[in-house]
Amino acid sequence: MKRSTRMEKLADINIGHENAALAALASARAAYQKQEQQLQQLKVYREDYRNQLSERMSGSTSAQVIRDFQYFFASLDEAIAQQNLEVEKAAAELEQVERNWLDRRQEVKKFNRAADNLRQREAADMERQAQIESDEASNLNFLLQSRGTGISLN
């Protein structure tokens, strides 16, 4: 088996690793987007309740209702802070998975480049060998003709 063929097989194996890394990247992106979307929903939810509190404050509102809103906002702010942490974790995971995919992609490119270089060298070697054989045949033919044997290789 030619060296270029062996290198191509290694490149094919690495393509499989790259595809697996790409699938992991898609999954990590989806997870990040889901966490980000949940954060945005919490923020919208908080804003909606703020607007409700503002509307209630324009009328007569008991101190108990205001305290309840304050407690609710405190717990909602805590949920938003927790979700921010989840978004940061998902972003870090996404970045790590993306680096892994880029590494796999570089490996595939290296193997493909090496296989291409080997193919070019093998083709050049074959061409050189064919030229040597052609030159030897021409020289032998010339020698046979110059001796007058009447034998020709053509």
Side-chain angles (χ1 to χ4, degrees):
M1 181 184 295
K2 291 181 179 179
R3 288 180 64 199
S4 62
T5 305
R6 289 191 304 255
M7 193 61 68
E8 287 170 355
K9 289 187 184 294
L10 289 173
D12 289 344
I13 290 168
N14 278 312
I15 286 172
H17 294 305
E18 179 190 10
N19 289 340
L22 186 59
L25 178 60
S27 177
R29 271 200 182 120
Y32 171 78
Q33 288 171 341
K34 180 181 177 186
Q35 295 298 329
E36 183 67 34
Q37 184 179 30
Q38 287 177 345
L39 176 61
Q40 293 310 315
Q41 286 174 341
L42 285 171
K43 288 179 178 180
V44 166
Y45 191 54
R46 179 179 59 188
E47 191 59 35
D48 287 347
Y49 271 91
R50 247 189 212 153
N51 292 336
Q52 286 180 20
L53 178 62
S54 294
E55 288 173 14
R56 285 193 178 180
M57 294 297 285
S58 63
S60 62
T61 304
S62 70
Q64 181 63 39
V65 170
I66 292 174
R67 264 193 308 275
D68 289 345
F69 267 107
Q70 287 174 336
Y71 288 128
F72 178 74
F73 280 125
S75 63
L76 195 52
D77 286 340
E78 178 62 30
I80 288 171
Q82 286 293 342
Q83 191 59 35
N84 267 326
L85 291 175
E86 292 301 317
V87 168
E88 289 172 9
K89 279 193 252 178
E93 174 70 14
L94 176 59
E95 187 176 317
Q96 188 274 327
V97 169
E98 188 171 19
R99 274 194 311 268
N100 182 48
W101 170 68
L102 287 171
D103 290 346
R104 296 299 126 240
R105 190 169 157 209
Q106 284 301 101
E107 285 295 313
V108 168
K109 285 182 179 182
K110 285 179 193 176
F111 279 102
N112 283 336
R113 208 170 20 253
D116 288 344
N117 289 341
L118 286 170
R119 268 193 303 281
Q120 288 174 358
R121 277 191 224 138
E122 290 166 354
D125 289 346
M126 287 176 34
E127 191 175 308
R128 239 184 332 274
Q129 186 60 36
Q131 184 63 46
I132 289 169
E133 290 171 5
S134 174
D135 290 348
E136 287 175 353
S138 291
N139 286 339
L140 184 58
N141 200 15
F142 176 75
L143 285 174
L144 291 173
Q145 285 179 358
S146 67
R147 290 190 178 160
T149 58
I151 301 173
S152 176
L153 295 178
N154 289 337

